[in-house]
Amino acid sequence: MQRTTEPGKPGWMSRRGLIGAGFAAAAATTVDGWGLEPRRLDLVRHDVLVPGLPPALAGLRIAQVSDVHLPGTPETAELAAAAIERERPEVVVLTGDMVEQAGALPALAELGPRLRGTVGTFAVFGNWEYKARISPRTATAVYGRAGIEFLLDQGAAVTIGGSRLGFLGFDDALYGNPSLPRALAARAPADVEIWLIHAPEYFDILLARGASPSLVLAGHTHGGQIRLPGLTPYTPPGSADYVSGWYRTGSSRLYVSRGIGTATIRARLFCPPELPIFTLRRA
């Protein structure tokens, strides 16, 4: 028997009611996407098993700050800085797009000291620094005054308990000119090494050129920034098939952060900002 409902009885909704419900859902989505979600921060923790990790490096924490896009969403940048100050990770890495205009460099200089690790802090370029016409020399100076080491196809290392953890930072692959041979020639001696890139598509290029890094950290995609359940409509050029989270090819692992800020559209939907913290564990 077919069941029907009549106006005024439970289970019946008029066309006006349906339209109203649709507008309410759209309004809630707008409030979340433009007002709430861009200004919250997910602190996510990952244990990273490292074969041959020296005992002195076991338990060392690395926080990844990516895609802050100053001067946009300063509230989320403040949340990230407060989280770093609270967590006090040994190392912080900044994986590009910290600013999107040269006029935001004073804000970066003010924020930078609050983003430092207790042992070391390292930064690489993103595509937006190039769009803003910020030169490597300027970046080196600004980061240097904040106590952050800027890596442009070069390496650096921190020493803990006689063991060395190295970082190899690459130039941006979209607007810069990264060079694997140049970076390898400038790497620092280390027991364990982590590579830093901005656009995750460069991970594929590194592998195609014979590199086999054990762990690579990237940003750039914003996790899609505006997403629908089960669907990522857009990621920027340089993302390849990467969106966010963990990826593995052979023995090489890649983590793509959703980042802190927003670009072009100051909104996020089903894709909140994140601050990942990686803890090194002995495999």
Side-chain angles (χ1 to χ4, degrees):
M1 176 183 296
Q2 183 179 4
R3 182 180 179 183
T4 62
T5 54
E6 298 176 5
K9 292 187 176 182
W12 183 88
M13 180 176 285
S14 68
R15 178 182 297 178
R16 180 179 297 176
L18 286 170
I19 293 173
F23 276 119
T29 299
T30 300
V31 169
D32 179 67
W34 289 89
L36 300 179
E37 199 163 318
R39 291 167 175 81
R40 56 175 272 209
L41 182 68
D42 284 352
L43 184 64
V44 294
R45 304 178 190 273
H46 303 276
D47 285 343
V48 179
L49 299 180
V50 181
L53 181 72
L57 299 180
L60 183 144
R61 294 164 302 148
I62 303 162
Q64 181 188 5
V65 178
S66 194
D67 299 272
V68 177
H69 283 272
L70 293 171
T73 54
E75 301 92 341
T76 317
E78 169 61 31
L79 290 176
I84 295 293
E85 291 172 330
R86 182 175 64 252
E87 294 287 326
R88 293 182 55 80
E90 286 76 15
V91 177
V92 176
V93 296
L94 314 179
T95 49
D97 283 5
M98 293 296 293
V99 299
E100 58 182 39
Q101 53 185 257
L105 286 176
L108 176 60
E110 182 178 351
L111 182 70
R114 301 180 61 197
L115 299 178
R116 289 169 53 184
T118 60
V119 177
T121 311
F122 307 99
V124 297
F125 253 164
N127 55 293
W128 275 92
E129 279 90 1
Y130 275 109
K131 287 183 179 180
R133 300 183 182 277
I134 298 170
S135 70
R137 177 177 295 182
T138 298
T140 299
V142 172
Y143 281 125
R145 287 194 293 270
I148 299 170
E149 189 168 355
F150 177 63
L151 303 178
L152 190 75
D153 290 347
Q154 63 192 106
V158 298
T159 301
I160 298 178
S163 297
R164 290 172 63 84
L165 175 64
F167 294 88
L168 193 62
F170 288 84
D171 194 5
D172 174 62
L174 286 177
Y175 288 82
N177 183 34
S179 168
L180 177 60
R182 184 168 60 238
L184 293 177
R187 72 200 307 182
D191 299 289
V192 176
E193 191 174 60
I194 297 171
W195 291 16
L196 309 176
I197 64 176
H198 179 64
E201 186 176 41
Y202 192 58
F203 177 70
D204 293 340
I205 296 173
L206 289 170
L207 298 184
R209 293 177 178 172
S212 55
S214 60
L215 177 60
V216 180
L217 304 180
H220 182 63
T221 68
H222 295 208
Q225 191 170 308
I226 305 293
R227 300 178 65 173
L228 301 174
L231 177 64
T232 304
Y234 174 80
T235 54
S239 301
D241 294 328
Y242 301 108
V243 179
S244 65
W246 285 105
Y247 300 88
R248 189 182 191 106
T249 300
S251 61
S252 297
R253 291 165 293 176
L254 168 70
Y255 188 84
V256 181
S257 171
R258 297 194 303 268
I260 301 295
T262 58
T264 307
I265 300 174
R266 299 301 183 197
R268 280 180 177 263
L269 187 63
F270 299 113
C271 186
E274 72 165 346
L275 176 66
I277 296 181
F278 308 92
T279 302
L280 303 186
R281 304 290 187 190
R282 301 185 72 188

